[in-house]
Amino acid sequence: MQLRIAIRRRKRSKVLVQHCTRTRGRPAPGKTSSNPEDVGKKIGKLFGYLKDYVSCNESIIENLYEEFKKSSDCEDKDLNITQLLKKYGYPVEQHEVTTSDGYILTFFRIPNDGPVAFLMHGTLSSSDDFLTIGSNSGLAYLLADAGYDVWLGNARGNVHSRRHVSLSPSCKEFWAFSWDEIGRYDLPAMIDYILDKTGEEKLIYIGHSQGSTTFFVLCSELPEYNKKISVMVAFSAVAFIFGVPLLDIFSPIVNPLETALIDAIGAYELLPRNRFLQFVSDTLCPTPASATLICGNILFLMAGSDFAQINATAAPVIFGHYPAGSATRQGLHYGQLSLSGKFAQYDHGFVKNFKKYGSLTPPEYPLEKITAPVVIFYSLFDRVTPITSVAKIKSKLANVSKVIKVPFLQFSHADYLFARDVKKLLYDTVLDILPEYVDNKC
């Protein structure tokens, strides 16, 4: 039975600050360099890489752009998540929960009688991204078709969760969080709410990118939650050793960037489309095709692109819902990990670290306390989580059940959500293995 639920259309925020892509070479762990010349060289190297990349793939980009234009009038790009689900005949519920530190989270359910499956998005993303590729391929749709009771989470700060009991998104204090707080406060609040609502003792957790990072925070810092997880499925297990160029640019100046630049200009939220990205677009992508599909897309700048799997016909809908917003500190925290090579809590500087942690440096997360079974999907072309990262996280976890390589060489970080053939390459396998970890209620 469909529920009629009114939801305000999301508002795009007007704030500043940039996110991330790949270079090789970084300072040795523990060493920093805020030399402007070093940062300038990295920026120049990144821009050179992008310019060559666009130039070498110009004809492919033009062909994809023609597909994109044919689908640009698709009404789905203007529909919110409840409208999308209703359009394609799925029941939908909207739920709210308040975290112990006062953030009001809005998340969604496709109700069913089967096992509970909870999907958690990555940085700059939202629940919508498990749907926007279409009703025949989106993971949320496929799980619902298979009988699962699907819940779609939303972290503080994205378009669905921009409220607090006392703080406004226009103030600095609202954005004083990284993905640590999402794992420490948001996930427990949503998981407990879901289990209470459904009467179940456990749920399936599926996380993409930061959705896996926050799970690692949750079950290492609050190990009692391991017993509430029947299986955790990680699409790109993000914890160690990054290869994202803009992170490499900013990681040498992480703390000065936050204390000086961010406080000076009030840039507390990561901006989906800002002056920096406009400069990249104008400089490196002179044609409408390259500007729309490459430089105009922060997903490409952050994670790279696999042209063979770009779903140009779904792109207008994807771009209509992504990016969805995140705190600047989430990106800075990843920059710290890139710099240190450790999976550690947020580095506030010596003085605040000592006050908060009792040590000059932030403690590492005790990953050995994660006992819930974990299934890791990885790909060789994933620039955010290269194979060395996968090996390191596998060595730290106590109960890695499966490690599965996506059978497509150029499968990228964004392809876990948006690839043209993602159902065949990834989701069919996920649906095949889930029954191994749950009672057969579907």
Side-chain angles (χ1 to χ4, degrees):
M1 174 180 177
Q2 291 192 5
L3 302 180
R4 295 183 179 180
I5 300 167
I7 180 172
R8 291 182 298 178
R9 296 186 64 175
R10 65 194 185 90
K11 297 179 180 178
R12 292 188 179 274
S13 50
K14 297 181 180 178
V15 270
L16 295 152
V17 168
Q18 42 269 49
H19 201 35
C20 333
T21 11
R22 170 174 190 175
T23 56
R24 296 181 183 176
R26 69 183 61 155
K31 295 182 180 180
T32 63
S33 170
S34 57
N35 187 329
E37 292 184 3
D38 293 340
V39 177
K41 288 179 181 178
K42 288 191 174 185
I43 293 175
K45 184 176 181 180
L46 169 62
F47 283 4
Y49 158 76
L50 285 175
K51 190 170 185 178
D52 292 343
Y53 194 77
V54 170
S55 176
C56 291
N57 292 280
E58 186 174 355
S59 61
I60 299 175
I61 295 170
E62 290 290 343
N63 290 334
L64 290 169
Y65 185 57
E66 290 304 313
E67 292 184 51
F68 176 88
K69 286 194 297 183
K70 291 176 183 178
S71 304
S72 61
D73 60 349
C74 175
E75 70 169 358
D76 288 10
K77 72 179 187 298
D78 297 317
L79 300 180
N80 63 42
I81 185 171
T82 58
Q83 292 168 334
L84 280 173
L85 286 164
K86 289 178 181 179
K87 176 180 177 179
Y88 293 104
Y90 291 83
V92 56
E93 298 173 5
Q94 179 176 323
H95 295 264
E96 288 185 358
V97 68
T98 302
T99 67
S100 60
D101 61 343
Y103 286 84
I104 302 169
L105 312 177
T106 300
F107 53 116
F108 302 93
R109 179 190 190 186
I110 309 174
N112 223 323
D113 294 328
V116 176
F118 176 59
L119 279 56
M120 195 61 194
H121 61 79
T123 307
L124 290 173
S125 200
S126 76
S127 55
D128 303 23
D129 295 327
F130 293 104
L131 298 168
T132 51
I133 197 172
S135 59
N136 294 324
S137 300
L139 180 59
Y141 292 118
L142 297 176
L143 288 168
D145 290 343
Y148 290 91
D149 187 4
V150 182
W151 292 75
L152 300 156
N154 282 298
R156 61 185 65 193
N158 81 9
V159 293
H160 297 296
S161 299
R162 294 173 63 87
R163 290 184 294 154
H164 188 276
V165 294
S166 62
L167 300 174
S168 166
S170 62
C171 67
K172 171 184 176 181
E173 289 76 14
F174 180 93
W175 299 101
F177 63 85
S178 77
W179 38 259
D180 177 276
E181 286 79 7
I182 295 172
R184 199 178 295 270
Y185 300 113
D186 294 6
L187 293 188
M190 287 187 284
I191 289 172
D192 287 345
Y193 179 97
I194 292 168
L195 295 180
D196 179 69
K197 189 77 173 177
T198 60
E200 299 292 333
E201 295 182 354
K202 294 185 176 184
L203 54 75
I204 297 163
Y205 183 104
I206 300 176
H208 173 244
S209 190
Q210 181 189 265
S212 65
T213 310
T214 52
F215 174 88
F216 298 145
V217 173
L218 169 69
C219 286
S220 62
E221 291 295 314
L222 302 171
E224 62 270 23
Y225 277 85
N226 283 284
K227 66 183 180 182
K228 301 182 181 184
I229 308 297
S230 56
V231 63
M232 185 274 190
V233 179
F235 295 159
S236 187
V238 181
F240 294 103
I241 313 172
F242 294 84
V244 184
L246 288 181
L247 282 179
D248 282 343
I249 289 171
F250 291 117
S251 60
I253 53 172
V254 163
N255 283 332
L257 176 66
E258 180 179 26
T259 58
L261 176 61
I262 294 178
D263 283 344
I265 64 177
Y268 309 117
E269 181 183 7
L270 286 173
L271 204 188
R273 183 74 184 178
N274 61 20
R275 294 174 184 173
F276 173 76
L277 290 181
Q278 189 60 53
F279 167 76
V280 173
S281 179
D282 293 344
T283 305
L284 306 180
C285 298
T287 68
S290 59
T292 300
L293 294 178
I294 307 301
C295 291
N297 181 6
I298 194 168
L299 198 60
F300 170 81
L301 292 178
M302 181 175 68
S305 181
D306 162 21
F307 283 114
Q309 285 298 318
I310 285 181
N311 194 332
T313 57
V317 185
I318 294 169
F319 292 174
H321 293 256
Y322 181 98
S326 293
T328 298
R329 191 174 287 187
Q330 290 169 245
L332 295 178
H333 198 168
Y334 278 130
Q336 292 176 355
L337 302 192
S338 177
L339 180 64
S340 70
K342 299 177 180 179
F343 185 50
Q345 296 187 40
Y346 194 82
D347 189 346
H348 297 274
F350 292 150
V351 175
K352 192 170 181 180
N353 283 346
F354 191 77
K355 182 178 180 180
K356 184 177 178 66
Y357 308 126
S359 59
L360 297 179
T361 57
E364 296 185 55
Y365 294 101
L367 292 173
E368 68 278 2
K369 292 185 179 181
I370 300 176
T371 57
V374 175
V375 175
I376 297 174
F377 284 88
Y378 75 98
S379 58
L380 298 179
F381 198 66
D382 187 343
R383 290 176 179 153
V384 177
T385 310
I387 188 63
T388 48
S389 302
V390 177
K392 190 164 185 178
I393 188 65
K394 181 178 182 294
S395 71
K396 296 286 186 178
L397 298 175
N399 191 11
V400 176
S401 176
K402 301 178 189 293
V403 179
I404 302 172
K405 181 173 71 174
V406 178
F408 188 79
L409 180 62
Q410 291 185 306
F411 200 83
S412 75
H413 193 69
D415 285 341
Y416 288 96
L417 295 176
F418 304 132
R420 186 190 300 268
D421 298 318
V422 67
K423 179 181 181 295
K424 178 178 69 175
L425 295 172
L426 176 63
Y427 295 159
D428 285 348
T429 304
V430 173
L431 291 168
D432 286 342
I433 67 174
L434 286 183
E436 299 178 23
Y437 301 93
V438 296
D439 295 332
N440 187 12
K441 295 174 61 178
C442 294

